Amino acid sequence: MKTRQLLGTGTLAVLGIGLGLTAGRVIWGGSASPVAPAETNASGSPATAGGDAAVGNGPGHSPGAAARTKAKADARNPKEAQIDELIKTGDFTQALALIDRLGSPKVRAEAYSRVFSKWARSDHQAAADAAFAVTDEPLKMTALRAVGEEWAKTDPQGAFAWLSGLPRGTIQRGVMQGMVSTLVGQDAVAAAQLIGNLPSGSLKNDALGMVGGYWAKVDAGSAAQWAMAMPAGAGQRNAVRGVTNQLVRVDPAQAAAFASELPMGTTRNEMIAMAAAAWGETDIGAAIDWIRDLPESTDRMAALSRVGLQWMRADTPGAMAYLQSFPEGYRNDLLGRIAGQWGATDPYAAAEWVQSLPAGSQRDRVFTSMASSWAANSPAEAATAVAGMPAGDAQQRGSMAVLSQWANIDPYAAASWAENFPPGTARDNAVGQIARTWGSYAPDAAAEWVDSLPVGPVRDKAASSFARAIATNFPGDAIVWAQSVADPTQRLSQTVSVARTWLNVDKPAATSWITASDLPEARKNQLLGLPPPPKPKPPTTQTPPAAPKG
């Protein structure tokens, strides 16, 4: 599939036609709207082909439907009818007291929404204050959202001023979603203008992203035009992201076309990657055709970062051949990420794929990434796979990758596996990895294990790694562990390393220890920033005076 074929007569036109929509001003509930919701009857309820008959409120209503409606009303909890009466009369406080006695959380939430919607129509601020005082968090969100939606209908500027004072995070975002949805439903163009005039900041940027998403639901063409015409910056990026997020749900190919029309830059790359990921899930062949035809290598790399795994699964030879056209650094990074994703979801298939790659350093790095992600879910299985590899550097790197994950999950099992390695550098490094990882989150248990190791290179490596792991939080203990290393050269090196960390953490205590220690004077002065001790002068040889003549 070629890009020009995809775009047709233009991305924005395709967006409107492809989704069955037209571009233009969106005014819900008015005859001038080119994009309106389903027809409603006089009461605001959805109308059907039979007019009001299906609702039971019009002259042609069905007696059976009316009877069912009445039976449903009669079956309600008597408290609900009483609550509705209190809402009608404006006794909102008493209505809330009754609602809190209802058993069903769903019924309570619906009743809260009705109370605070009606309350906000008569007194925005009083309703907002009462909503914020609700102690049940889910009900508080329901109440605040109902207030925000009603307030935005009649006084959007005041509503946003109130919104800016809400706690940032889940509450503020949830209320803002309701408000933006309401405003876009009334008039998307006006909503975009209003929010575009808000003070700069994260609140405005988040709201612009929501405008893009909600607007694209009803009129993708207009939403795309608006987002692309915005000034560059965080606000535009969020707006474009909102439009793209909606498009990928409806038609990833149209999302790809939209992303391809964006100006060069990080926003374009992000949207291309987003579109590629969605398209790759539904039609990897078409997605790859589009990627191949993208004009810029940065576009292709952004897209491949999100569909590489799907392509590799579907056509390993084709994917590997195509990747040869990219720089080695990018190729290695992408293959590593593919291996990590695959190893986490289907490790045995991932292992077969790795073995199919040409032997060499690239395959070794890919195997390490795969082994690490595999070990995060099933460390024992990953360890078995690593143990089956030929001895060498690749196996050692794979072992370290497994142990770095396993030591976080089950350090005792990881230690048991590592201690059974053949004597040598691989075993020393393995126990060092465990000591470093284990010591970072459970130093007492790790200390017991290190102390149980027999004196020798294995314990020295473990003690050194453990000392460095705890040096920032427990420098005094770390220096003791560094000095427990048996090998004199390693002991001096580790002691100096921990002492440097101690100086950064607690200089007075470290200085006192260094001064009183048995470290060589040159090392002490180096650590403390003192000049080196003067070198002793060589002895001078004096020539004895000549004997007198005669």
Side-chain angles (χ1 to χ4, degrees):
M1 179 178 292
K2 299 297 183 181
T3 301
R4 288 302 159 200
Q5 294 173 333
L6 175 65
L7 297 182
T9 59
T11 300
L12 300 178
V14 170
L15 290 175
I17 297 170
L19 299 177
L21 303 170
T22 58
R25 193 175 180 86
V26 181
I27 307 174
W28 282 25
S31 59
S33 173
V35 181
E39 283 188 36
T40 59
N41 55 36
S43 66
S45 302
T48 66
D52 286 321
V55 181
N57 292 327
H61 72 273
S62 163
R68 287 192 297 272
T69 302
K70 184 177 186 303
K72 184 176 179 181
D74 291 342
R76 290 192 310 165
N77 188 316
K79 288 191 181 71
E80 293 181 54
Q82 188 177 356
I83 290 166
D84 286 342
E85 286 300 319
L86 291 170
I87 293 173
K88 288 179 182 178
T89 59
D91 193 346
F92 305 117
T93 303
Q94 187 60 33
L96 291 174
L98 283 179
I99 292 171
D100 289 337
R101 299 178 196 172
L102 296 175
S104 168
K106 181 180 179 181
V107 172
R108 291 173 66 197
E110 291 172 350
Y112 258 64
S113 183
R114 294 199 304 275
V115 167
F116 282 97
S117 293
K118 181 68 180 296
W119 198 343
R121 288 174 206 146
S122 58
D123 190 334
H124 299 145
Q125 192 60 58
D129 292 343
F132 195 76
V134 175
T135 56
D136 181 284
E137 289 300 319
L139 289 177
K140 175 185 282 190
M141 175 64 82
T142 298
L144 289 170
R145 185 159 178 153
V147 171
E149 290 173 6
E150 289 297 330
W151 200 337
K153 289 177 183 178
T154 56
D155 180 15
Q157 291 182 332
F160 271 96
W162 163 72
L163 177 69
S164 66
L166 292 178
R168 295 186 62 181
T170 303
I171 288 179
Q172 189 182 67
R173 185 169 183 80
V175 175
M176 182 162 54
Q177 284 175 335
M179 290 171 54
V180 172
S181 176
T182 297
L183 290 171
V184 171
Q186 289 181 317
D187 185 334
V189 174
Q193 291 173 345
L194 169 72
I195 293 170
N197 289 327
L198 292 175
S200 298
S202 60
L203 181 72
K204 174 181 177 178
N205 295 336
D206 289 347
L208 288 170
M210 293 176 189
V211 170
Y214 287 122
W215 196 349
K217 280 185 178 182
V218 294
D219 187 346
S222 293
Q225 284 182 321
W226 163 74
M228 292 177 70
M230 289 180 64
Q236 188 199 41
R237 184 166 57 251
N238 280 11
V240 168
R241 187 182 291 124
V243 173
T244 307
N245 267 324
Q246 179 57 31
L247 288 176
V248 297
R249 295 186 181 98
V250 178
D251 187 341
Q254 303 296 2
F258 171 58
S260 300
E261 292 293 310
L262 293 171
M264 298 299 299
T266 55
T267 300
R268 173 188 170 100
N269 291 341
E270 181 187 344
M271 298 310 113
I272 282 177
M274 189 186 302
W279 204 354
E281 291 291 336
T282 58
D283 189 344
I284 184 63
I288 294 304
D289 286 344
W290 168 65
I291 291 171
R292 287 178 183 274
D293 204 39
L294 286 170
E296 299 293 335
S297 61
T298 52
D299 292 343
R300 296 192 293 273
M301 288 190 287
L304 284 172
S305 68
R306 300 293 296 275
V307 300
L309 175 57
Q310 294 99 310
W311 192 10
M312 201 65 69
R313 280 174 163 165
D315 179 15
T316 294
M320 291 299 297
Y322 184 66
L323 286 179
Q324 298 308 309
S325 64
F326 290 91
E328 182 180 3
Y330 170 79
R331 187 167 63 247
N332 290 338
D333 179 67
L334 178 61
L335 288 173
R337 278 186 283 162
I338 290 172
Q341 294 166 0
W342 207 343
T345 56
D346 190 352
Y348 290 102
E352 290 182 7
W353 166 67
V354 172
Q355 290 302 316
S356 73
L357 299 177
S361 59
Q362 184 181 76
R363 186 174 74 176
D364 294 345
R365 286 191 294 269
V366 170
F367 180 83
T368 300
S369 298
M370 185 272 297
S372 178
S373 61
W374 190 352
N377 296 320
S378 303
E381 291 181 4
T384 301
V386 169
M389 293 181 64
D393 291 343
Q395 187 189 52
Q396 289 189 29
R397 284 197 294 270
S399 299
M400 298 296 285
V402 170
L403 286 169
S404 66
Q405 299 288 351
W406 205 352
N408 278 307
I409 300 168
D410 187 348
Y412 293 100
S416 177
W417 185 55
E419 288 174 36
N420 287 317
F421 284 13
T425 303
R427 184 175 68 176
D428 296 348
N429 290 337
V431 296
Q433 175 69 60
I434 294 169
R436 179 165 52 253
T437 303
W438 197 353
S440 66
Y441 69 87
D444 290 341
E448 290 183 9
W449 171 68
V450 174
D451 207 30
S452 71
L453 297 173
V455 174
V458 170
R459 188 190 183 284
D460 282 355
K461 186 70 174 181
S464 299
S465 298
F466 178 66
R468 292 196 301 273
I470 67 171
T472 299
N473 294 324
F474 308 102
D477 294 326
I479 208 80
V480 174
W481 278 101
Q483 293 205 298
S484 75
V485 173
D487 181 83
T489 303
Q490 287 191 44
R491 181 170 63 248
L492 176 61
S493 173
Q494 297 304 319
T495 300
V496 169
S497 175
V498 172
R500 285 199 182 97
T501 301
W502 197 355
L503 284 167
N504 291 329
V505 175
D506 186 350
K507 189 171 183 178
T511 300
S512 176
W513 182 89
I514 293 168
T515 303
S517 72
D518 59 357
L519 289 173
E521 288 299 317
R523 290 286 191 172
K524 289 183 180 182
N525 291 340
Q526 185 183 46
L527 286 167
L528 298 175
L530 300 175
K535 295 181 179 179
K537 294 181 179 180
T540 57
T541 303
Q542 295 183 350
T543 303
K549 295 181 179 180

